Amino acid sequence: MSETDTNTDGSEEARTDGGGPGIVAPDDETPTWRERKERTTGLSRLTYEYFERARREDQDLRTESDYVERDVLAFPTWPHETVRNLSIVAFFTGMIFFLAATMPPHIGAPANPSSTPAIILPDWYLYWSFGLLKLGPLNPDLAILGGQKLTADRTYGVLANVVVVGVIAIVPFLNKGSARRPVEQPFWSAVGVGGVVFALTISLLAVKNLMPMNVHLLFDLTFLLPIVATTITYAILKTMREGYMYDLNRRYYRLRPPK
Amino acid sequence: MSLEKKDEMDHKGWMKRKDLTPVEATFLTALVWMDKRLRIVDYLELMENLYYKVNMQMPKSHTEQYDLDNKFWYWYPLYALGSFSTLAYVVAAVSGALLGFYYAPAQAGDPSTAYNSITFIMTDLQFGFMLRSIHRWSAQVMVAAVFLHMLRVYFTGAYKEPRELNWLLGIVLISLTMVFGYTGYLLPWDQLAFWAGQIGVEMSLSIPLAGEWIAQLLFGGFTLSQATLQRMYILHVFLLPFVVTTLIAIHIGIVWVQGIAEPH
């Protein structure tokens, strides 16, 4: 209908504005938006199908759920978490001002390129990174290269930084599953404790010229202590898990029996 | 009967017929005025939606539903660490802006101008010593809070399934926080700053292939000079604030959408 109309219009009248408004009233032939979406092909079709599925899935979850609105296993950020935080945070802001008033920073001598100070240190939160720069003794010298090192000690240290950050970044892709508490995942908690201890020991290695102990012993302890801490944590959490999970499961499954 | 064509959308006539109170009339006039210009009507549905969502009854959290509160109340203070670091960031931003009124690295030549302006802030400026103290402490506290926040997220497994991207974003943020700290550490241009900068240059020089390029870009040369100070200054007060503020907003926005992961 509309097609024939436009055809006749075009042949009969001379139009000065280059055509009508281009908007045709929908008739029975005109596809609805839903139909248009369904008729698409390729990626847009896939996108449409996925959204439809996701919507249906959400709807099913909602009908099944006894929650008021959503089925997310989390605190709502507002108001539960925000209100709690505001009070705690107010206290700690006071703490910042208290620290600032009682322990103001001082400024050292002006920069002097010709005199290197005995102790060069970054701020405390970079000690770990600074410590990683001192891993020279771990840099393997290859027999093939005649005792040469593959990378300079310095490059090795920078590389260690990249490795540490990279390992932390991929944790969510290694540790799957729904366990949330340390007791439920002894291995990963132990790894975490090991990481924290390593951050501390490597920081101590960074300030080795201030440490009143043998440097070689310090270097060894830097790597041994984290391993010891990991093992102990793992043992403790494994032991705790027995009784703990029993209790937790009992109260959890009494309220929501497994399907 | 008037010859003038009657306006179907005669808002004024409609308002007259309605016999409104002054408050309502003012409100409607303002609304119509705004709508003619900004097409508020198009967004009305959106706003209504938001309005009802805000007032909606909140679902029971996992904790409440299964009555687990007595099991992990001791985690709760640790859940405030994210807010706390944001707040320390705000305090640092405000005090930093105030410090910025007085601190200036020289444009060229002698970098000791920077040292002198810090000395001025600490000795001559009213409240200057305290201001610098607040700035420094809030920075320290922010870094500490961000570290602890990361540990909390790790040990409560809050980085798991729907939240991996936010964990990655968090790693970017913690790194940028440390860059923030580092660039700030260099600004006074005292001995510590100079030699910390020296380490930075050597670190970037030791990166294979791109090392020299990076040293040029970040430190303005292979040895420390006025250029280094200038670059650290621009990073600290111009580039990083924009980037970090945006990322923090996204980070918190994602938390808002996904809710706080509880241990359970």
Side-chain angles (χ1 to χ4, degrees):
Chain A
M1 264 170 64
S2 53
E3 289 141 28
T4 49
D5 278 349
T6 39
N7 281 342
T8 47
D9 277 351
S11 54
E12 281 174 8
E13 286 178 34
R15 284 189 300 196
T16 52
D17 60 349
I23 301 167
V24 184
D27 58 12
D28 295 346
E29 306 281 310
T30 314
T32 61
W33 286 108
R34 168 179 288 268
E35 283 165 351
R36 279 175 219 224
K37 281 186 207 157
E38 278 166 359
R39 273 185 215 165
T40 53
T41 51
L43 288 182
S44 50
R45 165 84 194 175
L46 277 179
T47 314
Y48 164 73
E49 277 180 12
Y50 168 70
F51 278 141
E52 283 298 309
R53 288 177 56 81
R55 213 170 293 151
R56 207 173 311 135
E57 190 188 358
D58 281 359
Q59 191 51 46
D60 290 350
L61 277 177
R62 249 175 243 127
T63 33
E64 267 179 38
S65 163
D66 49 349
Y67 275 27
V68 178
E69 171 58 20
R70 55 179 190 172
D71 198 349
V72 177
L73 295 183
F75 292 132
T77 308
W78 172 265
H80 296 55
E81 189 61 19
T82 313
V83 168
R84 192 152 46 211
N85 285 359
L86 279 179
S87 53
I88 297 174
V89 151
F91 171 77
F92 280 107
T93 317
M95 194 196 77
I96 292 179
F97 287 106
F98 179 75
L99 285 173
T102 49
M103 287 183 273
H106 290 270
I107 189 165
N112 180 5
S114 55
S115 85
T116 312
I119 296 161
I120 305 173
L121 282 178
D123 245 356
W124 60 268
Y125 47 80
L126 287 174
Y127 281 4
W128 64 272
S129 170
F130 198 51
L132 286 175
L133 297 180
K134 302 187 175 178
L135 291 185
L138 286 186
N139 193 356
D141 33 333
L142 302 178
I144 268 184
L145 299 173
Q148 290 283 322
K149 291 182 173 182
L150 199 55
T151 55
D153 279 353
R154 218 188 272 157
T155 315
Y156 189 76
V158 175
L159 204 65
N161 276 281
V162 176
V163 168
V164 165
V165 175
V167 166
I168 296 173
I170 60 171
V171 163
F173 305 98
L174 297 179
N175 181 14
K176 303 276 191 183
S178 61
R180 288 250 193 256
R181 301 158 155 238
V183 272
E184 290 171 353
Q185 36 180 359
F187 174 74
W188 283 98
S189 308
V191 168
V193 170
V196 174
V197 173
F198 181 64
L200 292 176
T201 52
I202 198 81
S203 299
L204 292 182
L205 184 67
V207 292
K208 61 183 170 191
N209 29 8
L210 298 181
M211 292 290 289
M213 63 189 291
N214 186 328
V215 178
H216 296 291
L217 178 63
L218 179 64
F219 193 86
D220 293 342
L221 282 183
T222 302
F223 301 96
L224 285 178
L225 281 184
I227 295 172
V228 171
T230 308
T231 317
I232 292 177
T233 314
Y234 186 73
I236 291 176
L237 287 178
K238 265 290 201 197
T239 316
M240 281 173 66
R241 192 156 112 131
E242 292 280 317
Y244 183 85
M245 287 307 285
Y246 174 76
D247 193 36
L248 194 69
N249 282 338
R250 204 179 46 173
R251 69 172 42 231
Y252 187 93
Y253 289 116
R254 194 188 289 151
L255 284 157
R256 193 163 78 166
K259 283 170 188 164
Chain B
M1 191 174 151
S2 116
L3 286 175
E4 211 171 311
K5 192 183 165 198
K6 225 183 181 177
D7 186 2
E8 207 180 331
M9 293 303 160
D10 179 14
H11 298 304
K12 276 192 184 144
W14 170 70
M15 277 171 65
K16 226 171 254 167
R17 263 179 282 132
K18 290 215 66 156
D19 186 28
L20 301 162
T21 65
V23 174
E24 287 169 333
T26 316
F27 170 73
L28 261 185
T29 315
L31 187 66
V32 170
W33 193 89
M34 293 291 280
D35 186 46
K36 285 231 170 100
R37 285 150 186 83
L38 301 175
R39 300 296 312 161
I40 293 176
V41 172
D42 293 349
Y43 305 97
L44 207 60
E45 200 183 337
L46 209 75
M47 294 197 309
E48 255 177 357
N49 200 357
L50 280 178
Y51 175 80
Y52 286 114
K53 281 206 172 133
V54 162
N55 285 306
M56 209 156 51
Q57 192 194 345
M58 275 299 164
K60 272 185 178 172
S61 79
H62 184 85
T63 325
E64 290 163 341
Q65 191 170 18
Y66 299 111
D67 190 25
L68 298 168
D69 229 24
N70 55 348
K71 273 283 170 196
F72 52 85
W73 58 268
Y74 48 83
W75 285 110
Y76 289 163
L78 303 179
Y79 276 66
L81 283 166
S83 300
F84 187 35
S85 42
T86 312
L87 189 112
Y89 180 68
V90 171
V91 173
V94 172
S95 59
L98 293 175
L99 280 176
F101 295 155
Y102 301 101
Y103 171 86
Q107 288 298 316
D110 191 8
S112 67
T113 314
Y115 185 83
N116 292 337
S117 64
I118 297 274
T119 318
F120 164 75
I121 288 172
M122 290 179 66
T123 52
D124 294 341
L125 183 66
Q126 286 284 354
F127 204 60
F129 202 103
M130 182 65 181
L131 204 56
R132 175 159 185 251
S133 183
I134 290 175
H135 189 67
R136 188 172 163 77
W137 271 108
S138 56
Q140 306 275 319
V141 160
M142 179 185 170
V143 177
V146 166
F147 265 109
L148 295 175
H149 174 60
M150 189 175 86
L151 292 185
R152 194 282 289 171
V153 169
Y154 182 88
F155 285 109
T156 56
Y159 53 79
K160 284 185 177 179
E161 187 174 83
R163 301 184 174 83
E164 296 102 326
L165 286 179
N166 228 10
W167 172 260
L168 293 180
L169 188 51
I171 286 171
V172 173
L173 271 173
I174 197 174
S175 314
L176 286 181
T177 308
M178 287 187 283
V179 176
F180 234 133
Y182 179 75
T183 51
Y185 191 66
L186 256 56
L187 290 185
W189 212 247
D190 54 0
Q191 274 288 66
L192 281 178
F194 184 87
W195 292 99
Q198 195 66 42
I199 294 170
V201 173
E202 279 169 23
M203 272 180 80
S204 41
L205 277 177
S206 70
I207 297 169
L209 303 177
E212 298 191 353
W213 187 77
I214 290 172
Q216 282 279 6
L217 184 70
L218 288 182
F219 294 93
F222 303 145
T223 52
L224 297 187
S225 64
Q226 173 56 34
T228 315
L229 184 57
Q230 190 70 25
R231 279 166 202 234
M232 289 300 139
Y233 181 64
I234 292 301
L235 280 179
H236 192 78
V237 306
F238 183 74
L239 193 64
L240 282 175
F242 283 110
V243 175
V244 171
T245 307
T246 314
L247 289 184
I248 288 178
I250 297 173
H251 195 69
I252 294 175
I254 294 177
V255 169
W256 192 288
V257 168
Q258 295 184 328
I260 313 291
E262 315 164 54
H264 54 82

